[in-house]
């Protein structure tokens, strides 16, 4: 049995080379038809019409109330005339039903089930090289930077999954869920179903810069999302926190300010293998979410830090 790679080596790989991770909790919806891009554009917060050539697009599906239904990653297969929409498997049935409700006159069709793809997320300055290797092996994908270190997203058809995995292993460090948690928490990347969910507005999760376009055409839920943006604030925000010590608090642990007043709770946390401290995401009151603010979690002192660009 192969030994698993330590988290520190995985994080270093993402910073210096490329880390390849296989999200096991995604399902893929397939949309065809001439209006596939414009129809999806009216249901998602990201801009699919003005997407850069060769890029995958990260965005959100939100309801009329502006709250997040799911986060999505869209890959276009122009040769095959398809848009591939990777979504959390836990909500795929509900999201399919939601999207079907708004398919009326458009020349678009969504497959009745999820197609079989194996997803890979690539993180690091050499992600482009790994993306090309995956494409040569039969995968679809595009550039997508979720961490600020460089990145790409790949969907491998199941019949080519072995070839794509081998191609990525030849040019990338292949990591695991623990490595991704260490990396994403250090880079303050929230995870759907963990750090935000169907009760969260995009701005509360801090996703307005990476998953929302404010200059595209209309989309479902736009009025609420734009109103929150124009007002300039929400009542609570997901904040990046660095805590003294290497023992990570459990999700749901209370966060207080330095006077002991409750301000929120931890959504996820892990020891940072490169910082020697604990890194966490916490949903806390907006006034306490500013970088430099002191917090206390389970007796450990910490500080809200700037989320990496």
């Amino acid at each position: 049995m192969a030994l698993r790679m330590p988290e520190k080596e995985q994080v270093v790989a993402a910073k210096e080379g490329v880390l390849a991770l296989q999200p096991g909790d995604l399902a893929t919806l397939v949309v065809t038809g001439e209006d596939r891009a414009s129809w999806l554009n009216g249901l998602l917060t990201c801009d699919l019409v003005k997407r850069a050539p060769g890029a995958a697009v990260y965005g959100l599906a939100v309801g009329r109330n502006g709250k997040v239904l799911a986060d999505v990653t869209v890959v276009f297969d122009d040769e095959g005339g398809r848009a591939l929409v990777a979504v959390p498997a836990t909500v795929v049935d509900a999201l399919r039903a939601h999207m079907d409700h708004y398919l009326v006159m458009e020349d678009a069709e969504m497959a009745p089930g999820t197609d079989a793809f194996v997803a890979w997320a690539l993180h690091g300055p050499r992600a482009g090289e790994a993306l090309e290797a995956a494409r040569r092996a039969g995968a679809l994908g595009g550039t997508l930077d979720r961490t600020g270190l460089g990145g790409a997203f790949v969907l491998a058809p199941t019949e080519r999954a072995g070839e794509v995995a081998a191609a990525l292993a030849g040019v990338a460090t292949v990591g695991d869920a623990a490595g991704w948690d260490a990396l994403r928490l250090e880079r303050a990347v929230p995870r759907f179903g963990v750090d935000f969910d169907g009760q969260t507005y995009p701005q509360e999760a801090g996703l307005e810069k990476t998953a929302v376009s404010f200059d595209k055409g209309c989309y479902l839920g736009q009025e609420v999302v734009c109103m929150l943006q124009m007002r300039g604030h929400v009542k609570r925000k997901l904040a990046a926190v660095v805590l003294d010590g290497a023992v990570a608090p459990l999700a749901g642990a209370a966060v207080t300010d330095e006077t002991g007043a409750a301000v929120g709770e931890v959504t996820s946390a892990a020891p940072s293998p490169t910082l020697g401290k604990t890194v966490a995401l916490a949903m806390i009151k907006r006034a306490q979410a500013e970088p430099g603010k002191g917090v206390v979690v389970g007796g450990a002192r910490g500080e809200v830090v700037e989320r990496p660009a």
Side-chain angles (χ1 to χ4, degrees):
M1 180 182 295
L3 295 176
R4 65 172 301 277
M5 181 171 292
E7 287 87 344
K8 183 174 183 178
E9 293 184 26
Q10 296 184 52
V11 173
V12 170
K15 292 180 177 181
E16 299 180 355
V18 57
L19 177 67
L21 299 159
Q22 198 173 345
D25 57 350
L26 297 181
T28 306
L29 297 170
V30 178
V31 182
T32 56
E34 289 296 321
D35 296 335
R36 59 189 180 277
S38 58
W39 177 64
L40 287 170
N41 209 50
L43 292 174
L44 303 177
T45 61
C46 51
D47 194 335
L48 299 178
V49 174
K50 298 178 183 178
R51 70 187 187 278
V57 187
Y58 178 73
L60 306 168
V62 300
R64 289 190 177 278
N65 61 1
K67 293 185 177 181
V68 177
L69 300 174
D71 64 346
V72 305
T73 303
V74 185
V75 173
F76 283 90
D77 173 17
D78 291 328
E79 288 187 9
R82 302 180 295 176
L84 310 178
V85 187
V87 305
T90 54
V91 296
V92 64
D93 291 336
L95 186 62
R96 184 194 294 111
H98 163 78
M99 294 170 69
D100 265 335
H101 181 73
Y102 295 98
L103 183 53
V104 183
M105 300 293 292
E106 297 84 0
D107 181 8
E109 183 176 353
M110 186 162 50
T114 56
D115 255 22
F117 289 90
V118 176
W120 288 89
L122 311 177
H123 305 284
R126 292 179 56 195
E129 178 184 340
L131 172 61
E132 290 307 313
R135 283 172 170 166
R136 289 193 296 270
L140 299 163
T143 55
L144 177 64
D145 187 1
R146 295 291 313 284
T147 63
L149 301 169
F153 185 81
V154 167
L155 288 171
T158 51
E159 65 271 17
R160 302 301 298 273
E163 292 95 323
V164 173
L168 288 173
V171 295
T173 297
V174 178
D176 58 21
W180 171 232
D181 262 350
L183 175 64
R184 76 172 186 85
L185 287 167
E186 188 174 310
R187 304 300 298 177
V189 178
R191 181 179 173 185
F192 179 80
V194 175
D195 303 295
F196 67 105
D197 56 23
Q199 299 304 311
T200 313
Y201 293 108
Q203 288 90 342
E204 290 178 326
L207 292 170
E208 68 275 13
K209 293 182 180 179
T210 58
V212 180
S213 170
F214 290 100
D215 58 8
K216 61 177 277 187
C218 295
Y219 60 87
L220 188 69
Q222 180 190 36
E223 183 177 356
V224 176
V225 174
C226 289
M227 184 67 69
L228 285 172
Q229 192 71 12
M230 287 188 293
R231 288 177 177 172
H233 65 80
V234 286
K235 293 181 179 180
R236 59 177 190 160
K237 290 192 69 175
L238 196 64
V241 176
V242 175
L243 296 167
D244 293 334
V247 178
L250 297 176
V255 180
T256 69
D257 63 17
E258 293 177 316
T259 71
V263 295
E265 64 180 34
V266 171
T267 57
S268 57
S272 169
T274 57
L275 299 178
K277 295 185 176 184
T278 291
V279 287
L281 288 171
M283 189 67 76
I284 59 180
K285 293 180 179 179
R286 178 179 60 88
Q288 193 65 29
E290 296 297 323
K293 291 284 189 178
V295 294
V296 180
V297 181
R301 300 183 68 82
E303 181 179 311
V304 176
V305 297
E306 191 78 41
R307 293 176 67 172

